[in-house]
Amino acid sequence: METARIRLSLEQNEIPFSEDLPEKLNIYLSLLNDWNSRMDLTAVTEDEETVDKHFIDSLTVLRTGLIRDGMQLIDVGTGAGFPGMVLALACPEIRVTLLDAQQKRLSFLKAVAEAAGAANVTLVHARAEDGARKDELREKFDIAAARAVAPLNVLCEYLLPYVKLEGCALCWKGPALKEETEAGRKAAHLLGGRLEMPFKSTVYGRDWDHMILPIRKVQHTSGQYPRKAGTPKNKPLGL
Ligand SMILES: C[S@@+](CC[C@H](N)C(=O)[O-])C[C@H]1O[C@@H](n2cnc3c(N)ncnc32)[C@H](O)[C@@H]1O
């Protein structure tokens, strides 16, 4: 794909970006296409859709001012790097930890970080529930983000243990957000979080109903959470 096409998309979507970002995203796109032919990283195979659905959808959060220089962000269940790797490339002044349970996805992300020059990225191979028990990760992040990982109540248990007091979890959600909100609100309360107003992750020319929901960390998370790996999904909180 032409780097100019990525630049145009960033402009159309009113994403603030540095001069070198379109080229870095193009390197990422080439690697994604290359690795995707050998392993299952994304179902999207058309370049323009990849740019909109993965890159721009990850970056719409930059319209909100919630992400600021110097922050520490963790992306839980990052997969092929959405939203965390894209944010790391767009914001070299934040530190980004990319966590996933699947090693092959982290191997891909290591290749992207090297090729696109993302020196601000740390890779962690772990289940979300296990990572949050490590001293160096628990309640250490300004932002814990996730997209397409779990229903909201389960996501609260994956994300909030990583978030510092006054920081927030950011949940990228589709149309299911409405029906997940009530159980999510109860789960967040148990974990020290409070739901804030969601905002639209609008993408130019696309009729997608995507939202980003911030959950503010208002109290420390009790030591009983997260429960052992698998339990948050099998016995979700807030029901
Ligand atoms: C559907 S993919 C979404 C990937 C990416 N966030 C995106 O939006 O394209 C879900 C990812 O979450 C990871 N995942 C699911 N449950 C997890 C858990 N409990 N701990 C760590 N990673 C998890 C999977 O390995 C997978 O890479």
PDB file of all heavy atoms in Angstrom, residues 41-42 53-54 57-58 75-84 99-102 105 126-130 146-150 158 172 229-230 233, ligand 1:
ATOM      1  N   LEU A  41      -3.373 -14.384  12.148  1.00  0.00           N
ATOM      2  CA  LEU A  41      -3.265 -13.185  12.998  1.00  0.00           C
ATOM      3  C   LEU A  41      -4.502 -12.306  12.895  1.00  0.00           C
ATOM      4  O   LEU A  41      -4.904 -11.660  13.852  1.00  0.00           O
ATOM      5  CB  LEU A  41      -2.044 -12.355  12.577  1.00  0.00           C
ATOM      6  CG  LEU A  41      -0.676 -12.907  12.962  1.00  0.00           C
ATOM      7  CD1 LEU A  41       0.430 -12.112  12.281  1.00  0.00           C
ATOM      8  CD2 LEU A  41      -0.489 -12.866  14.475  1.00  0.00           C
ATOM      9  N   THR A  42      -5.088 -12.219  11.706  1.00  0.00           N
ATOM     10  CA  THR A  42      -6.277 -11.386  11.513  1.00  0.00           C
ATOM     11  C   THR A  42      -7.108 -11.955  10.366  1.00  0.00           C
ATOM     12  O   THR A  42      -6.544 -12.501   9.403  1.00  0.00           O
ATOM     13  CB  THR A  42      -5.904  -9.918  11.199  1.00  0.00           C
ATOM     14  OG1 THR A  42      -7.090  -9.207  10.817  1.00  0.00           O
ATOM     15  CG2 THR A  42      -4.883  -9.790  10.081  1.00  0.00           C
ATOM     16  N   LYS A  53      -9.884  -0.741  10.212  1.00  0.00           N
ATOM     17  CA  LYS A  53     -10.402  -1.587  11.294  1.00  0.00           C
ATOM     18  C   LYS A  53      -9.386  -1.802  12.408  1.00  0.00           C
ATOM     19  O   LYS A  53      -9.752  -1.926  13.573  1.00  0.00           O
ATOM     20  CB  LYS A  53     -10.826  -2.933  10.709  1.00  0.00           C
ATOM     21  CG  LYS A  53     -11.779  -3.690  11.592  1.00  0.00           C
ATOM     22  CD  LYS A  53     -12.431  -4.813  10.805  1.00  0.00           C
ATOM     23  CE  LYS A  53     -13.742  -5.204  11.420  1.00  0.00           C
ATOM     24  NZ  LYS A  53     -14.536  -6.044  10.526  1.00  0.00           N
ATOM     25  N   HIS A  54      -8.111  -1.869  12.053  1.00  0.00           N
ATOM     26  CA  HIS A  54      -7.095  -2.130  13.076  1.00  0.00           C
ATOM     27  C   HIS A  54      -6.317  -0.859  13.459  1.00  0.00           C
ATOM     28  O   HIS A  54      -6.213  -0.544  14.640  1.00  0.00           O
ATOM     29  CB  HIS A  54      -6.127  -3.212  12.597  1.00  0.00           C
ATOM     30  CG  HIS A  54      -6.766  -4.564  12.477  1.00  0.00           C
ATOM     31  ND1 HIS A  54      -7.741  -5.016  13.329  1.00  0.00           N
ATOM     32  CD2 HIS A  54      -6.562  -5.565  11.584  1.00  0.00           C
ATOM     33  CE1 HIS A  54      -8.116  -6.242  12.993  1.00  0.00           C
ATOM     34  NE2 HIS A  54      -7.415  -6.604  11.931  1.00  0.00           N
ATOM     35  N   ASP A  57      -8.940   2.408  14.145  1.00  0.00           N
ATOM     36  CA  ASP A  57      -9.771   2.074  15.311  1.00  0.00           C
ATOM     37  C   ASP A  57      -8.944   2.088  16.610  1.00  0.00           C
ATOM     38  O   ASP A  57      -9.442   2.441  17.676  1.00  0.00           O
ATOM     39  CB  ASP A  57     -10.425   0.700  15.115  1.00  0.00           C
ATOM     40  CG  ASP A  57     -11.484   0.402  16.167  1.00  0.00           C
ATOM     41  OD1 ASP A  57     -12.356   1.267  16.400  1.00  0.00           O
ATOM     42  OD2 ASP A  57     -11.445  -0.685  16.779  1.00  0.00           O
ATOM     43  N   SER A  58      -7.666   1.727  16.518  1.00  0.00           N
ATOM     44  CA  SER A  58      -6.776   1.786  17.694  1.00  0.00           C
ATOM     45  C   SER A  58      -6.442   3.228  18.063  1.00  0.00           C
ATOM     46  O   SER A  58      -6.221   3.547  19.228  1.00  0.00           O
ATOM     47  CB  SER A  58      -5.464   1.048  17.418  1.00  0.00           C
ATOM     48  OG  SER A  58      -5.699  -0.324  17.171  1.00  0.00           O
ATOM     49  N   ASP A  75      -1.586  -3.335  27.145  1.00  0.00           N
ATOM     50  CA  ASP A  75      -2.638  -3.845  26.260  1.00  0.00           C
ATOM     51  C   ASP A  75      -2.777  -5.341  26.564  1.00  0.00           C
ATOM     52  O   ASP A  75      -1.861  -6.125  26.302  1.00  0.00           O
ATOM     53  CB  ASP A  75      -2.242  -3.601  24.797  1.00  0.00           C
ATOM     54  CG  ASP A  75      -3.294  -4.105  23.818  1.00  0.00           C
ATOM     55  OD1 ASP A  75      -4.431  -4.425  24.245  1.00  0.00           O
ATOM     56  OD2 ASP A  75      -2.978  -4.164  22.616  1.00  0.00           O
ATOM     57  N   VAL A  76      -3.908  -5.721  27.126  1.00  0.00           N
ATOM     58  CA  VAL A  76      -4.125  -7.099  27.595  1.00  0.00           C
ATOM     59  C   VAL A  76      -4.867  -7.891  26.511  1.00  0.00           C
ATOM     60  O   VAL A  76      -5.969  -7.513  26.111  1.00  0.00           O
ATOM     61  CB  VAL A  76      -4.928  -7.059  28.922  1.00  0.00           C
ATOM     62  CG1 VAL A  76      -5.278  -8.474  29.370  1.00  0.00           C
ATOM     63  CG2 VAL A  76      -4.131  -6.335  30.002  1.00  0.00           C
ATOM     64  N   GLY A  77      -4.255  -8.988  26.039  1.00  0.00           N
ATOM     65  CA  GLY A  77      -4.838  -9.730  24.911  1.00  0.00           C
ATOM     66  C   GLY A  77      -4.612  -8.957  23.627  1.00  0.00           C
ATOM     67  O   GLY A  77      -5.510  -8.785  22.818  1.00  0.00           O
ATOM     68  N   THR A  78      -3.374  -8.516  23.443  1.00  0.00           N
ATOM     69  CA  THR A  78      -3.044  -7.613  22.331  1.00  0.00           C
ATOM     70  C   THR A  78      -3.146  -8.274  20.955  1.00  0.00           C
ATOM     71  O   THR A  78      -3.325  -7.607  19.946  1.00  0.00           O
ATOM     72  CB  THR A  78      -1.634  -7.021  22.552  1.00  0.00           C
ATOM     73  OG1 THR A  78      -1.372  -6.031  21.599  1.00  0.00           O
ATOM     74  CG2 THR A  78      -0.546  -8.102  22.498  1.00  0.00           C
ATOM     75  N   GLY A  79      -3.025  -9.602  20.880  1.00  0.00           N
ATOM     76  CA  GLY A  79      -3.119 -10.300  19.589  1.00  0.00           C
ATOM     77  C   GLY A  79      -2.026  -9.820  18.644  1.00  0.00           C
ATOM     78  O   GLY A  79      -0.836  -9.875  18.958  1.00  0.00           O
ATOM     79  N   ALA A  80      -2.439  -9.286  17.504  1.00  0.00           N
ATOM     80  CA  ALA A  80      -1.465  -8.773  16.522  1.00  0.00           C
ATOM     81  C   ALA A  80      -1.110  -7.315  16.811  1.00  0.00           C
ATOM     82  O   ALA A  80      -0.572  -6.622  15.946  1.00  0.00           O
ATOM     83  CB  ALA A  80      -2.005  -8.938  15.119  1.00  0.00           C
ATOM     84  N   GLY A  81      -1.443  -6.826  18.031  1.00  0.00           N
ATOM     85  CA  GLY A  81      -0.957  -5.498  18.446  1.00  0.00           C
ATOM     86  C   GLY A  81      -1.988  -4.383  18.479  1.00  0.00           C
ATOM     87  O   GLY A  81      -1.622  -3.204  18.500  1.00  0.00           O
ATOM     88  N   PHE A  82      -3.278  -4.769  18.587  1.00  0.00           N
ATOM     89  CA  PHE A  82      -4.330  -3.753  18.569  1.00  0.00           C
ATOM     90  C   PHE A  82      -5.058  -3.682  19.903  1.00  0.00           C
ATOM     91  O   PHE A  82      -5.581  -4.706  20.342  1.00  0.00           O
ATOM     92  CB  PHE A  82      -5.323  -4.052  17.440  1.00  0.00           C
ATOM     93  CG  PHE A  82      -4.627  -4.365  16.150  1.00  0.00           C
ATOM     94  CD1 PHE A  82      -4.796  -5.592  15.522  1.00  0.00           C
ATOM     95  CD2 PHE A  82      -3.748  -3.447  15.584  1.00  0.00           C
ATOM     96  CE1 PHE A  82      -4.116  -5.892  14.360  1.00  0.00           C
ATOM     97  CE2 PHE A  82      -3.060  -3.747  14.412  1.00  0.00           C
ATOM     98  CZ  PHE A  82      -3.251  -4.967  13.799  1.00  0.00           C
ATOM     99  N   PRO A  83      -5.068  -2.523  20.544  1.00  0.00           N
ATOM    100  CA  PRO A  83      -4.580  -1.240  20.073  1.00  0.00           C
ATOM    101  C   PRO A  83      -3.124  -0.918  20.442  1.00  0.00           C
ATOM    102  O   PRO A  83      -2.587   0.086  19.976  1.00  0.00           O
ATOM    103  CB  PRO A  83      -5.493  -0.242  20.811  1.00  0.00           C
ATOM    104  CG  PRO A  83      -5.741  -0.891  22.145  1.00  0.00           C
ATOM    105  CD  PRO A  83      -5.830  -2.371  21.838  1.00  0.00           C
ATOM    106  N   GLY A  84      -2.460  -1.744  21.287  1.00  0.00           N
ATOM    107  CA  GLY A  84      -1.223  -1.323  21.933  1.00  0.00           C
ATOM    108  C   GLY A  84      -0.052  -1.001  21.022  1.00  0.00           C
ATOM    109  O   GLY A  84       0.630   0.009  21.208  1.00  0.00           O
ATOM    110  N   LEU A  99       0.672  -7.647  26.279  1.00  0.00           N
ATOM    111  CA  LEU A  99       0.551  -8.950  26.959  1.00  0.00           C
ATOM    112  C   LEU A  99      -0.384  -9.850  26.167  1.00  0.00           C
ATOM    113  O   LEU A  99      -1.463  -9.425  25.744  1.00  0.00           O
ATOM    114  CB  LEU A  99       0.010  -8.726  28.371  1.00  0.00           C
ATOM    115  CG  LEU A  99      -0.220  -9.968  29.243  1.00  0.00           C
ATOM    116  CD1 LEU A  99       0.121  -9.668  30.714  1.00  0.00           C
ATOM    117  CD2 LEU A  99      -1.653 -10.490  29.149  1.00  0.00           C
ATOM    118  N   ASP A 100       0.040 -11.081  25.984  1.00  0.00           N
ATOM    119  CA  ASP A 100      -0.846 -12.071  25.362  1.00  0.00           C
ATOM    120  C   ASP A 100      -0.465 -13.467  25.845  1.00  0.00           C
ATOM    121  O   ASP A 100       0.684 -13.722  26.196  1.00  0.00           O
ATOM    122  CB  ASP A 100      -0.789 -12.012  23.825  1.00  0.00           C
ATOM    123  CG  ASP A 100      -2.071 -12.548  23.193  1.00  0.00           C
ATOM    124  OD1 ASP A 100      -2.229 -13.792  23.112  1.00  0.00           O
ATOM    125  OD2 ASP A 100      -2.940 -11.740  22.816  1.00  0.00           O
ATOM    126  N   ALA A 101      -1.474 -14.360  25.823  1.00  0.00           N
ATOM    127  CA  ALA A 101      -1.237 -15.737  26.244  1.00  0.00           C
ATOM    128  C   ALA A 101      -0.602 -16.557  25.131  1.00  0.00           C
ATOM    129  O   ALA A 101      -0.118 -17.662  25.382  1.00  0.00           O
ATOM    130  CB  ALA A 101      -2.565 -16.363  26.677  1.00  0.00           C
ATOM    131  N   GLN A 102      -0.596 -16.041  23.892  1.00  0.00           N
ATOM    132  CA  GLN A 102      -0.073 -16.826  22.765  1.00  0.00           C
ATOM    133  C   GLN A 102       1.302 -16.322  22.323  1.00  0.00           C
ATOM    134  O   GLN A 102       1.419 -15.198  21.827  1.00  0.00           O
ATOM    135  CB  GLN A 102      -1.038 -16.741  21.583  1.00  0.00           C
ATOM    136  CG  GLN A 102      -2.323 -17.504  21.820  1.00  0.00           C
ATOM    137  CD  GLN A 102      -3.116 -17.643  20.536  1.00  0.00           C
ATOM    138  OE1 GLN A 102      -2.561 -17.922  19.465  1.00  0.00           O
ATOM    139  NE2 GLN A 102      -4.413 -17.423  20.637  1.00  0.00           N
ATOM    140  N   ARG A 105       2.030 -14.807  18.731  1.00  0.00           N
ATOM    141  CA  ARG A 105       1.636 -13.411  18.483  1.00  0.00           C
ATOM    142  C   ARG A 105       2.735 -12.461  18.972  1.00  0.00           C
ATOM    143  O   ARG A 105       3.009 -11.433  18.362  1.00  0.00           O
ATOM    144  CB  ARG A 105       0.307 -13.114  19.163  1.00  0.00           C
ATOM    145  CG  ARG A 105      -0.754 -13.890  18.425  1.00  0.00           C
ATOM    146  CD  ARG A 105      -2.104 -13.931  19.000  1.00  0.00           C
ATOM    147  NE  ARG A 105      -2.879 -14.802  18.117  1.00  0.00           N
ATOM    148  CZ  ARG A 105      -4.082 -14.554  17.673  1.00  0.00           C
ATOM    149  NH1 ARG A 105      -4.692 -13.463  18.028  1.00  0.00           N
ATOM    150  NH2 ARG A 105      -4.693 -15.392  16.885  1.00  0.00           N
ATOM    151  N   ALA A 126       1.892 -14.101  28.979  1.00  0.00           N
ATOM    152  CA  ALA A 126       1.209 -14.552  30.206  1.00  0.00           C
ATOM    153  C   ALA A 126      -0.297 -14.524  29.992  1.00  0.00           C
ATOM    154  O   ALA A 126      -0.795 -13.830  29.102  1.00  0.00           O
ATOM    155  CB  ALA A 126       1.550 -13.625  31.381  1.00  0.00           C
ATOM    156  N   ARG A 127      -1.001 -15.277  30.828  1.00  0.00           N
ATOM    157  CA  ARG A 127      -2.441 -15.080  30.928  1.00  0.00           C
ATOM    158  C   ARG A 127      -2.659 -13.777  31.689  1.00  0.00           C
ATOM    159  O   ARG A 127      -1.901 -13.454  32.626  1.00  0.00           O
ATOM    160  CB  ARG A 127      -3.074 -16.218  31.753  1.00  0.00           C
ATOM    161  CG  ARG A 127      -2.969 -17.595  31.134  1.00  0.00           C
ATOM    162  CD  ARG A 127      -3.992 -17.786  30.048  1.00  0.00           C
ATOM    163  NE  ARG A 127      -5.355 -17.683  30.540  1.00  0.00           N
ATOM    164  CZ  ARG A 127      -6.233 -18.684  30.576  1.00  0.00           C
ATOM    165  NH1 ARG A 127      -5.889 -19.877  30.161  1.00  0.00           N
ATOM    166  NH2 ARG A 127      -7.475 -18.487  31.016  1.00  0.00           N
ATOM    167  N   ALA A 128      -3.725 -13.073  31.349  1.00  0.00           N
ATOM    168  CA  ALA A 128      -4.027 -11.813  32.027  1.00  0.00           C
ATOM    169  C   ALA A 128      -4.099 -12.012  33.539  1.00  0.00           C
ATOM    170  O   ALA A 128      -3.576 -11.198  34.318  1.00  0.00           O
ATOM    171  CB  ALA A 128      -5.360 -11.269  31.514  1.00  0.00           C
ATOM    172  N   GLU A 129      -4.713 -13.115  33.948  1.00  0.00           N
ATOM    173  CA  GLU A 129      -4.934 -13.366  35.382  1.00  0.00           C
ATOM    174  C   GLU A 129      -3.609 -13.603  36.115  1.00  0.00           C
ATOM    175  O   GLU A 129      -3.497 -13.286  37.306  1.00  0.00           O
ATOM    176  CB  GLU A 129      -5.834 -14.600  35.586  1.00  0.00           C
ATOM    177  CG  GLU A 129      -7.175 -14.548  34.886  1.00  0.00           C
ATOM    178  CD  GLU A 129      -7.148 -15.186  33.484  1.00  0.00           C
ATOM    179  OE1 GLU A 129      -6.220 -14.883  32.717  1.00  0.00           O
ATOM    180  OE2 GLU A 129      -8.054 -15.964  33.176  1.00  0.00           O
ATOM    181  N   ASP A 130      -2.631 -14.196  35.430  1.00  0.00           N
ATOM    182  CA  ASP A 130      -1.334 -14.481  36.065  1.00  0.00           C
ATOM    183  C   ASP A 130      -0.449 -13.235  36.077  1.00  0.00           C
ATOM    184  O   ASP A 130       0.226 -12.956  37.072  1.00  0.00           O
ATOM    185  CB  ASP A 130      -0.620 -15.620  35.329  1.00  0.00           C
ATOM    186  CG  ASP A 130      -1.431 -16.916  35.373  1.00  0.00           C
ATOM    187  OD1 ASP A 130      -2.166 -17.115  36.360  1.00  0.00           O
ATOM    188  OD2 ASP A 130      -1.340 -17.701  34.416  1.00  0.00           O
ATOM    189  N   ALA A 146      -7.934  -2.921  26.232  1.00  0.00           N
ATOM    190  CA  ALA A 146      -8.203  -4.209  25.581  1.00  0.00           C
ATOM    191  C   ALA A 146      -9.255  -4.022  24.501  1.00  0.00           C
ATOM    192  O   ALA A 146     -10.188  -3.231  24.668  1.00  0.00           O
ATOM    193  CB  ALA A 146      -8.675  -5.254  26.587  1.00  0.00           C
ATOM    194  N   ARG A 147      -9.077  -4.773  23.415  1.00  0.00           N
ATOM    195  CA  ARG A 147     -10.074  -4.777  22.347  1.00  0.00           C
ATOM    196  C   ARG A 147     -10.356  -6.218  21.951  1.00  0.00           C
ATOM    197  O   ARG A 147      -9.418  -7.012  21.758  1.00  0.00           O
ATOM    198  CB  ARG A 147      -9.535  -4.008  21.125  1.00  0.00           C
ATOM    199  CG  ARG A 147     -10.586  -3.742  20.070  1.00  0.00           C
ATOM    200  CD  ARG A 147     -10.007  -3.094  18.838  1.00  0.00           C
ATOM    201  NE  ARG A 147      -9.366  -4.078  17.975  1.00  0.00           N
ATOM    202  CZ  ARG A 147      -9.201  -3.931  16.657  1.00  0.00           C
ATOM    203  NH1 ARG A 147      -9.607  -2.827  16.054  1.00  0.00           N
ATOM    204  NH2 ARG A 147      -8.610  -4.858  15.938  1.00  0.00           N
ATOM    205  N   ALA A 148     -11.636  -6.556  21.860  1.00  0.00           N
ATOM    206  CA  ALA A 148     -12.072  -7.871  21.367  1.00  0.00           C
ATOM    207  C   ALA A 148     -11.480  -9.024  22.173  1.00  0.00           C
ATOM    208  O   ALA A 148     -10.983  -9.994  21.602  1.00  0.00           O
ATOM    209  CB  ALA A 148     -11.712  -8.016  19.886  1.00  0.00           C
ATOM    210  N   VAL A 149     -11.506  -8.905  23.494  1.00  0.00           N
ATOM    211  CA  VAL A 149     -10.920  -9.955  24.320  1.00  0.00           C
ATOM    212  C   VAL A 149     -11.971 -10.718  25.126  1.00  0.00           C
ATOM    213  O   VAL A 149     -11.909 -11.951  25.219  1.00  0.00           O
ATOM    214  CB  VAL A 149      -9.821  -9.374  25.249  1.00  0.00           C
ATOM    215  CG1 VAL A 149      -9.313 -10.423  26.234  1.00  0.00           C
ATOM    216  CG2 VAL A 149      -8.657  -8.842  24.419  1.00  0.00           C
ATOM    217  N   ALA A 150     -12.961 -10.031  25.706  1.00  0.00           N
ATOM    218  CA  ALA A 150     -13.928 -10.720  26.582  1.00  0.00           C
ATOM    219  C   ALA A 150     -15.123  -9.803  26.835  1.00  0.00           C
ATOM    220  O   ALA A 150     -15.034  -8.586  26.624  1.00  0.00           O
ATOM    221  CB  ALA A 150     -13.250 -11.068  27.909  1.00  0.00           C
ATOM    222  N   TYR A 158      -9.854  -8.773  34.137  1.00  0.00           N
ATOM    223  CA  TYR A 158      -8.560  -8.843  33.457  1.00  0.00           C
ATOM    224  C   TYR A 158      -7.792  -7.518  33.590  1.00  0.00           C
ATOM    225  O   TYR A 158      -6.575  -7.521  33.713  1.00  0.00           O
ATOM    226  CB  TYR A 158      -8.751  -9.108  31.959  1.00  0.00           C
ATOM    227  CG  TYR A 158      -9.193 -10.499  31.555  1.00  0.00           C
ATOM    228  CD1 TYR A 158      -9.584 -10.759  30.243  1.00  0.00           C
ATOM    229  CD2 TYR A 158      -9.214 -11.562  32.453  1.00  0.00           C
ATOM    230  CE1 TYR A 158      -9.980 -12.027  29.842  1.00  0.00           C
ATOM    231  CE2 TYR A 158      -9.624 -12.827  32.057  1.00  0.00           C
ATOM    232  CZ  TYR A 158     -10.009 -13.053  30.751  1.00  0.00           C
ATOM    233  OH  TYR A 158     -10.407 -14.306  30.340  1.00  0.00           O
ATOM    234  N   TRP A 172     -12.371  -1.266  24.321  1.00  0.00           N
ATOM    235  CA  TRP A 172     -12.892  -1.093  22.953  1.00  0.00           C
ATOM    236  C   TRP A 172     -14.032  -2.092  22.788  1.00  0.00           C
ATOM    237  O   TRP A 172     -13.830  -3.298  22.984  1.00  0.00           O
ATOM    238  CB  TRP A 172     -11.811  -1.414  21.926  1.00  0.00           C
ATOM    239  CG  TRP A 172     -10.933  -0.301  21.473  1.00  0.00           C
ATOM    240  CD1 TRP A 172     -10.884   0.222  20.209  1.00  0.00           C
ATOM    241  CD2 TRP A 172      -9.917   0.410  22.214  1.00  0.00           C
ATOM    242  NE1 TRP A 172      -9.917   1.205  20.143  1.00  0.00           N
ATOM    243  CE2 TRP A 172      -9.320   1.340  21.347  1.00  0.00           C
ATOM    244  CE3 TRP A 172      -9.474   0.342  23.541  1.00  0.00           C
ATOM    245  CZ2 TRP A 172      -8.302   2.202  21.745  1.00  0.00           C
ATOM    246  CZ3 TRP A 172      -8.469   1.200  23.949  1.00  0.00           C
ATOM    247  CH2 TRP A 172      -7.899   2.116  23.067  1.00  0.00           C
ATOM    248  N   ALA A 229      -6.479 -18.393  36.811  1.00  0.00           N
ATOM    249  CA  ALA A 229      -6.674 -18.366  35.350  1.00  0.00           C
ATOM    250  C   ALA A 229      -7.851 -19.245  34.940  1.00  0.00           C
ATOM    251  O   ALA A 229      -7.946 -20.406  35.343  1.00  0.00           O
ATOM    252  CB  ALA A 229      -5.396 -18.804  34.646  1.00  0.00           C
ATOM    253  N   GLY A 230      -8.730 -18.687  34.166  1.00  0.00           N
ATOM    254  CA  GLY A 230      -9.912 -19.414  33.672  1.00  0.00           C
ATOM    255  C   GLY A 230     -11.169 -19.080  34.450  1.00  0.00           C
ATOM    256  O   GLY A 230     -12.274 -19.088  33.895  1.00  0.00           O
ATOM    257  N   LYS A 233     -13.532 -16.062  33.305  1.00  0.00           N
ATOM    258  CA  LYS A 233     -14.353 -16.365  32.127  1.00  0.00           C
ATOM    259  C   LYS A 233     -15.449 -17.385  32.467  1.00  0.00           C
ATOM    260  O   LYS A 233     -16.582 -17.274  31.994  1.00  0.00           O
ATOM    261  CB  LYS A 233     -13.432 -16.937  31.043  1.00  0.00           C
ATOM    262  CG  LYS A 233     -14.068 -17.052  29.692  1.00  0.00           C
ATOM    263  CD  LYS A 233     -13.012 -17.480  28.681  1.00  0.00           C
ATOM    264  CE  LYS A 233     -13.681 -17.918  27.392  1.00  0.00           C
ATOM    265  NZ  LYS A 233     -12.754 -18.649  26.543  1.00  0.00           N
TER     266      LYS A 233
HETATM  267  C1  LIG B   1      -9.785 -11.857  19.313  1.00  0.00           C
HETATM  268  S1  LIG B   1      -8.120 -11.567  19.757  1.00  0.00           S
HETATM  269  C2  LIG B   1      -8.081  -9.804  19.796  1.00  0.00           C
HETATM  270  C3  LIG B   1      -6.702  -9.289  19.602  1.00  0.00           C
HETATM  271  C4  LIG B   1      -6.567  -7.757  19.549  1.00  0.00           C
HETATM  272  N1  LIG B   1      -6.797  -7.164  20.853  1.00  0.00           N
HETATM  273  C5  LIG B   1      -7.476  -7.144  18.506  1.00  0.00           C
HETATM  274  O1  LIG B   1      -8.323  -6.327  18.848  1.00  0.00           O
HETATM  275  O2  LIG B   1      -7.335  -7.495  17.325  1.00  0.00           O
HETATM  276  C6  LIG B   1      -8.056 -11.980  21.488  1.00  0.00           C
HETATM  277  C7  LIG B   1      -6.641 -12.086  22.018  1.00  0.00           C
HETATM  278  O3  LIG B   1      -6.716 -12.141  23.439  1.00  0.00           O
HETATM  279  C8  LIG B   1      -5.844 -13.137  23.915  1.00  0.00           C
HETATM  280  N2  LIG B   1      -6.410 -13.589  25.199  1.00  0.00           N
HETATM  281  C9  LIG B   1      -7.657 -14.054  25.442  1.00  0.00           C
HETATM  282  N3  LIG B   1      -7.821 -14.343  26.744  1.00  0.00           N
HETATM  283  C10 LIG B   1      -6.638 -14.040  27.353  1.00  0.00           C
HETATM  284  C11 LIG B   1      -6.163 -14.125  28.694  1.00  0.00           C
HETATM  285  N4  LIG B   1      -6.934 -14.575  29.684  1.00  0.00           N
HETATM  286  N5  LIG B   1      -4.906 -13.724  28.951  1.00  0.00           N
HETATM  287  C12 LIG B   1      -4.099 -13.277  27.943  1.00  0.00           C
HETATM  288  N6  LIG B   1      -4.484 -13.180  26.665  1.00  0.00           N
HETATM  289  C13 LIG B   1      -5.739 -13.555  26.365  1.00  0.00           C
HETATM  290  C14 LIG B   1      -5.812 -14.195  22.826  1.00  0.00           C
HETATM  291  O4  LIG B   1      -4.620 -14.971  22.881  1.00  0.00           O
HETATM  292  C15 LIG B   1      -5.907 -13.340  21.558  1.00  0.00           C
HETATM  293  O5  LIG B   1      -4.628 -12.986  21.088  1.00  0.00           O
END
